[in-house]
Amino acid sequence: MATEPKYDFSNYIRTGVAASALCATFMSPSVAFAQVEPLPQNTEAEADDAVAEDEVATLGVVTVNARRREENLQTVPISVSTFSQEVLDQRSVITTQDLTFVTPGLNVAPALSRDVPAFVIRGQQRQADGTGSPAVLTYFADVPLSIQGSILPTFDVSSIQVLKGPQGTLFGRNTTGGAVLLYPEAPGYEFGGHVKASFGEFDERIIEGAINIPILEDKLAVRLAAQTADRDGFTINLGVGDDLDDRNAVSYRASVLFEPTSYITNTFIGDFHSADEAGTSTVLTSVFPNEVNTVGGVGRGPLAFLLDSDIPGLDVDLLLADQLENGIRTTNPGFEPRSEREIWGVTNTTEIDLGEVTLKNIIAYRSTIVDASRDFDGSPAPINGQAPLFSSDQFTNEIQLFGSAFDDKLDYLIGGFFLNETPDGDNTSFAEIFFTPSFNELYFDNESRAVFIDGSYHLDDFVPGLTVNGGFRFTWDDIVRCDGTQPDPSLLAGTFS
């Protein structure tokens, strides 16, 4: 009955007026994934017909972590799109959701809202509901994020990489469609920082800054970064609630680099993101015709006496006529929309160089709370309104052993992974669908264990540049679901332990 409004961010948000209001760079610390020369656009591991030959000639060496080690992008046997911070700024990529506008083959489609999306690569995505594993995951500093907490701001990052295809033999969480990797800027041993501000239409204000502080020479360094992002909604709300498609978010990040010896590196990252917004708009664009179907009756079913009642606010044909008159940039919900999110986490990565091999351990805790509400029919009629509350804690630990053997002809990675995700408080949903209210509680306990191995054998002695790649993965998943639905929330109180 309703569809997502189709819009171009360049037309509605930052048309010609977005400008750098303040930019002060003191020093730039070394970057683990930096390009030798700035990229004029995103770089594809696969040939991109849209890139002109003279632009390709200007590219420097691009380093990626697609296979959990630093490699030249041109030698990686994986389809990769990689973006530097400069490219993200040039293309107005504010959150990972915006990658859909700049990455070939990636579609970030709203599920409940734009802030709880379904990442789609090569036609694969997560289920709308249920216990199935996600086909595409977002990683922050090599830590897999909860599906509901996969949209993060893209400020002060060293690299974002979009990998296409199965990644189960290289990453802790199994994915069959691909992965989106976000690496924050690492602390360095030179003092420096930056402050940036931009302004745009609908009173858009994005201000961010970062400072790098060396504490002990070549031993200890700290990096602090923050961003605020605000914008009025560009879809006018004629019903209940505020104008939609707005932005009101704050983000903080603190990173600590500690290298007590020449062969031990420890990195701690704490990040926090909070948003209080009206959320994603839904605009009514068409309704099913009221025609007799093949099994008798009318196309609109038993509620036709209401949906075709000629009563303003109930008759869907009248609702559609009003919407078409108001225009695509307006909506008239009867179910008050909102999108409130609080996502935070701590990550600790320890890397020990043992000579022939390197041992790496990544341990993390993440908390995700999403309290949302949305009118899916975009009309005053109580046809499809939903208000879910999601809250979860996630603990992960991944251990890797990687190195080379047989005179560096074999590069290998052996890994183990553990994940435990549990509800944290109420996980509920209120819905009003076709005039019928219902209350639902839905709880998941998700535990996943995995072992994986990946190897690349270089056959340069036979054919220069020829490499054979292979991998293996085995996963144990244990998922428990508990749910119930009643027309009155008091009937469910105390039913779940």
Side-chain angles (χ1 to χ4, degrees):
M1 173 171 287
T3 61
E4 290 288 335
K6 296 182 179 179
Y7 57 88
D8 183 344
F9 272 93
S10 64
N11 290 334
Y12 289 99
I13 301 176
R14 306 170 69 85
T15 307
V17 298
S20 177
L22 176 60
C23 183
T25 301
F26 307 111
M27 291 183 182
S28 297
S30 58
V31 183
F33 305 93
Q35 292 78 244
V36 172
E37 297 178 17
L39 290 176
Q41 63 177 54
N42 58 302
T43 304
E44 287 290 322
E46 298 174 329
D48 187 353
D49 294 335
V51 180
E53 292 184 2
D54 59 337
E55 288 180 324
V56 175
T58 65
L59 297 179
V61 176
V62 181
T63 303
V64 297
N65 256 36
R67 295 198 293 173
R68 313 306 289 271
R69 55 182 178 270
E70 295 185 14
E71 297 178 284
N72 186 336
L73 176 64
Q74 301 301 320
T75 66
V76 176
I78 301 174
S79 177
V80 184
S81 297
T82 181
F83 305 90
S84 65
Q85 182 69 69
E86 181 180 3
V87 175
L88 297 173
D89 292 341
Q90 290 172 354
R91 300 199 170 191
S92 300
V93 176
I94 307 301
T95 70
T96 45
Q97 190 274 340
D98 299 330
L99 292 171
T100 190
F101 300 112
V102 298
T103 309
L106 171 68
N107 183 29
V108 186
L112 178 68
S113 71
R114 187 180 299 112
D115 312 304
V116 184
F119 282 82
V120 185
I121 293 179
R122 295 177 176 174
Q124 297 195 57
Q125 63 176 310
R126 73 177 180 92
Q127 300 178 84
D129 183 29
T131 58
S133 298
V136 181
L137 272 177
T138 301
Y139 283 80
F140 176 78
D142 286 330
V143 176
L145 303 182
S146 169
I147 294 173
Q148 269 72 10
S150 60
I151 292 296
L152 290 179
T154 57
F155 72 101
D156 198 45
V157 301
S158 62
S159 172
I160 291 183
Q161 301 164 34
V162 180
L163 316 183
K164 301 171 186 176
Q167 307 297 326
T169 65
L170 289 163
F171 290 85
R173 193 87 188 266
N174 189 34
T175 59
T176 56
V180 178
L181 315 180
L182 190 152
Y183 291 99
E185 190 70 76
Y189 294 117
E190 293 183 355
F191 179 80
H194 70 265
V195 177
K196 293 189 292 187
S198 63
F199 300 88
E201 288 185 289
F202 301 97
D203 198 23
E204 181 179 52
R205 294 150 292 151
I206 302 174
I207 302 173
E208 69 173 75
I211 184 169
N212 196 85
I213 307 172
I215 306 297
L216 296 175
E217 184 176 359
D218 297 330
K219 296 290 184 182
L220 181 65
V222 175
R223 187 176 185 89
L224 306 175
Q227 181 195 73
T228 64
D230 296 279
R231 187 191 66 230
D232 295 338
F234 58 78
T235 301
I236 299 173
N237 186 346
L238 302 176
V240 293
D242 299 325
D243 290 345
L244 293 119
D245 300 302
D246 60 333
R247 180 178 289 136
N248 180 24
V250 295
S251 305
Y252 308 99
R253 188 186 303 147
S255 304
V256 180
L257 173 65
F258 180 48
E259 296 181 292
T261 69
S262 59
Y263 55 88
I264 297 178
T265 300
N266 182 269
T267 304
F268 170 87
I269 302 174
D271 65 284
F272 175 86
H273 174 70
S274 177
D276 185 358
E277 301 166 345
T280 306
S281 63
T282 303
V283 177
L284 184 64
T285 59
S286 63
V287 297
F288 285 113
N290 188 10
E291 298 175 351
V292 176
N293 60 38
T294 57
V295 296
V298 294
R300 294 171 185 168
L303 295 175
F305 73 97
L306 291 174
L307 303 179
D308 292 311
S309 61
D310 291 329
I311 301 176
L314 290 179
D315 188 293
V316 292
D317 295 300
L318 296 179
L319 295 174
L320 177 60
D322 289 341
Q323 177 63 69
L324 295 176
E325 182 179 353
N326 292 330
I328 192 70
R329 287 291 137 215
T330 63
T331 186
N332 189 10
F335 199 84
E336 185 172 0
R338 69 176 182 275
S339 179
E340 300 173 7
R341 308 177 303 282
E342 183 178 287
I343 304 167
W344 64 273
V346 290
T347 303
N348 189 274
T349 302
T350 302
E351 190 168 326
I352 304 175
D353 186 353
L354 301 175
E356 295 294 327
V357 298
T358 299
L359 180 66
K360 187 174 184 178
N361 190 77
I362 308 165
I363 187 170
Y365 168 84
R366 299 204 64 83
S367 172
T368 302
I369 301 175
V370 178
D371 187 4
S373 175
R374 189 174 178 195
D375 192 324
F376 280 91
D377 55 277
S379 78
I383 295 176
N384 188 0
Q386 299 183 37
L389 170 63
F390 174 86
S391 178
S392 77
D393 291 333
Q394 176 182 285
F395 171 81
T396 59
N397 193 81
E398 180 176 347
I399 188 168
Q400 304 170 5
L401 187 69
F402 54 93
S404 300
F406 306 117
D407 296 326
D408 295 332
K409 293 185 180 297
L410 174 66
D411 297 322
Y412 64 87
L413 181 148
I414 302 172
F417 176 74
F418 173 79
L419 175 146
N420 181 257
E421 185 175 16
T422 58
D424 180 22
D426 293 335
N427 279 250
T428 62
S429 177
F430 173 75
E432 193 171 34
I433 299 177
F434 287 112
F435 306 89
T436 304
S438 65
F439 184 84
N440 175 265
E441 285 189 276
L442 176 61
Y443 298 91
F444 284 105
D445 280 296
N446 186 5
E447 189 168 282
S448 180
R449 298 178 177 86
V451 292
F452 52 94
I453 184 170
D454 189 270
S456 300
Y457 195 86
H458 304 283
L459 299 173
D460 299 278
D461 294 341
F462 302 97
V463 179
L466 178 63
T467 302
V468 176
N469 303 281
F472 169 83
R473 178 187 182 90
F474 198 92
T475 303
W476 297 264
D477 281 333
D478 185 10
I479 303 172
V480 178
R481 169 174 173 152
C482 183
D483 67 275
T485 300
Q486 291 285 353
D488 185 338
S490 64
L491 298 177
L492 280 173
T495 21
F496 296 101
S497 59

